[in-house]
Amino acid sequence: MASSWSELAAREHRASVVVLAGGVALYAINVYLTTSLLPNAVADIGGEELYSWTMTVFLVASVISSMLVSLVLSRFGARWAYVAGFAGFAAGTVIAGLSPTMVVMLIGRGVQGLAGGLLVGLGFAVVRTVLPARLWQRSIALMSAMWGVGNVVGPIVGGFFAQIGAWRGAFALLAVIALALIALTFRALPAGSGEASSDGVPWGSLVLLTGAAAAVSIASIVDGAATVVLLVVALAAGAVFVLYERGASNRVLPEMTYRGRSPLRWIYLGIIVLAMVSTIEMFIPLFGQRIGGLGPLAAGLLGAAISWGWTVGTLSSSGAESEKMRRLVRVAGPLILGTGLAAYGLLQVNDPSVWVIVGWYATLLFAGTGIGMAISHWFTAGMRVSTDDAEAAQASAGLNTSQLIANAFGSAIAGVLVSLGGPDVVGSARVLTFGFALLALVGVLVAFREFAAAKSWQLGASAPRERGVEL
């Protein structure tokens, strides 16, 4: 049965949808809001030498909590898991807003990250139990679109409070929103879990994956050989993580990820590719100012073009209901992304004309559309891969973990490519853009590999088709 946006917004689903989307929106808005007001905060409380660590601490904390989503759900249920997430986010935001020094700010950012990673992961895990299956794709599309909303609202709100000299007020506003969502959570979500059981914290996997994320995050703020060494360490830690998980009894990702020809591993990889490429937006405003001579606002809007395209692509492709259309979207998305970035790279020239700059906006918007149309369908594919509640909850939580890890790796790789293309800014822009365009095209190969794995999985002895799973 086909779904519609009006059905998702119906009275019986509205409160649940607001909570799920609100958790993702808080995370996304916070990322871009903090970036826009940090210069003012540093001018007030000092600690410029720790500037880069505000994102490093937040990201690593998010990765850690994203791996604990299934455990938190099994022990506390959807309602109390969300309450803990919103309350923790509010507490971290208050600490950051009241911080007298940068060290205290980092503590607040760490608490924010732990709560934020949990909130984003909960959205993709809880949707299976609070909404009917026919609404999953629409709800996933809505949650994915919140990243685009964050990229627009975050800089505007943060910039406004910074402009009036009241950067702490921006954090206060976020805390109030988080508390309001707590009140809504009690009405919207069930008290029971109905999700997953767990034997405990997967310490081995958590340490290895967190180590990899930390190495990549640090690699993005150091130079030269240290960056290469840290990337190698991160890759080694990631490889050991996979080997460890294959034989572990208590793991982050579901056992079926490593079983036979399971398509789940390719689903995760498809998300990783798209999420890594999306991190190019962190350098787009810099290129706009240095190459095009754009002002801060115009350059910020240029960086937001990818997220706007992401939102457009997500919402416009959410009506793809048949499996054939879902697969077509997952192939077309990375093709559009790679093509758009390649076109943007070709437009990187010294002293660009007005029409060339207009072309920057158009090609980035086009590229972002490719991310949006594909990534939400990868998330839905992961949710449909099993009907077992425990396994499906782990698979859903792994979707978010994959995206957060990819963001960390993507940011570091982007920094490396920018350095390789220097010292000329146009050279940096071209190397980064063409490099990520090639990475985007890898997503096409991943999609076809997942299709083959899904078909083989269906025909196998333990095939999901035999268990009544719709892929």
Side-chain angles (χ1 to χ4, degrees), residues 123-138:
F124 297 107
V126 172
V127 67
R128 299 182 71 258
T129 58
V130 298
L131 294 174
R134 66 181 181 276
L135 295 179
W136 289 355
Q137 183 59 53
R138 299 282 186 184

Side-chain angles (χ1 to χ4, degrees), residues 327-349:
R327 290 182 172 181
L328 178 61
V329 166
R330 298 208 295 273
V331 172
L335 272 176
I336 291 174
L337 173 59
T339 302
L341 290 182
Y344 172 75
L346 292 173
L347 292 174
Q348 298 308 298
V349 295

Side-chain angles (χ1 to χ4, degrees), residues 4-397:
S4 65
W5 288 110
S6 59
E7 185 180 5
L8 187 66
R11 186 172 184 177
E12 64 267 29
H13 304 310
R14 192 179 306 153
S16 298
V17 170
V18 171
V19 170
L20 301 186
V24 180
L26 268 183
Y27 185 100
I29 292 172
N30 176 65
V31 169
Y32 298 107
L33 176 148
T34 304
T35 300
S36 65
L37 56 75
L38 262 181
N40 294 72
V42 170
D44 186 15
I45 64 177
E48 184 174 355
E49 69 280 4
L50 298 175
Y51 189 98
S52 298
W53 283 93
T54 57
M55 183 56 68
T56 301
V57 170
F58 178 81
L59 183 58
V60 173
S62 298
V63 170
I64 293 173
S65 60
S66 73
M67 292 186 283
L68 302 178
V69 169
S70 294
L71 178 64
V72 172
L73 272 176
S74 67
R75 293 190 175 181
F76 302 105
R79 178 187 296 172
W80 287 106
Y82 259 105
V83 168
F86 286 131
F89 187 88
T93 302
V94 169
I95 293 173
L98 296 177
S99 55
T101 65
M102 183 57 76
V103 172
V104 178
M105 169 75 80
L106 293 180
I107 294 174
R109 290 289 285 165
V111 176
Q112 274 188 324
L114 287 172
L118 178 63
L119 288 172
V120 176
L122 283 172
F124 297 107
V126 172
V127 67
R128 299 182 71 258
T129 58
V130 298
L131 294 174
R134 66 181 181 276
L135 295 179
W136 289 355
Q137 183 59 53
R138 299 282 186 184
S139 58
I140 292 293
L142 181 62
M143 285 188 281
S144 182
M146 290 301 102
W147 289 97
V149 172
N151 202 342
V152 176
V153 175
I156 291 176
V157 174
F160 169 76
F161 279 97
Q163 187 70 33
I164 65 175
W167 63 269
R168 299 179 190 273
F171 285 120
L173 178 61
L174 281 183
V176 170
I177 294 173
L179 294 175
L181 286 170
I182 290 177
L184 185 61
T185 299
F186 281 104
R187 183 165 66 89
L189 300 182
S193 67
E195 282 295 325
S197 60
S198 176
D199 295 328
V201 178
W203 290 112
S205 299
L206 193 151
V207 169
L208 288 168
L209 206 49
T210 302
V216 176
S217 298
I218 297 172
S220 65
I221 59 176
V222 297
D223 299 315
T227 298
V228 177
V229 171
L230 285 167
L231 287 176
V232 171
V233 170
L235 289 173
V240 174
F241 164 80
V242 173
L243 294 174
Y244 175 84
E245 284 256 306
R246 289 175 66 93
S249 57
N250 194 20
R251 54 174 65 85
V252 171
L253 302 178
E255 183 267 340
M256 70 178 300
T257 307
Y258 312 100
R259 186 196 310 157
R261 299 181 179 180
S262 167
L264 189 56
R265 70 192 67 168
W266 299 105
I267 293 172
Y268 287 153
L269 188 56
I271 292 171
I272 287 171
V273 169
L274 293 172
M276 285 181 67
V277 176
S278 73
T279 60
I280 193 175
E281 66 183 4
M282 66 185 292
F283 284 98
I284 297 299
L286 175 65
F287 296 151
Q289 292 187 51
R290 298 282 180 85
I291 299 174
L294 300 179
L297 178 58
L301 293 176
L302 181 65
I306 291 180
S307 290
W308 293 342
W310 184 329
T311 302
V312 170
T314 296
L315 299 180
S316 62
S317 67
S318 62
E321 300 285 349
S322 68
E323 184 58 28
K324 181 178 180 180
M325 286 300 299
R326 291 170 184 159
R327 290 182 172 181
L328 178 61
V329 166
R330 298 208 295 273
V331 172
L335 272 176
I336 291 174
L337 173 59
T339 302
L341 290 182
Y344 172 75
L346 292 173
L347 292 174
Q348 298 308 298
V349 295
N350 288 310
D351 300 320
S353 67
V354 173
W355 289 110
V356 168
I357 294 176
V358 171
W360 291 353
Y361 284 94
T363 53
L364 290 174
L365 183 70
F366 182 72
T369 301
I371 299 177
M373 66 189 300
I375 198 167
S376 63
H377 285 278
W378 277 121
F379 271 94
T380 305
M383 292 171 58
R384 294 176 183 272
V385 83
S386 176
T387 53
D388 179 82
D389 281 344
E391 198 168 56
Q394 272 198 317
S396 298

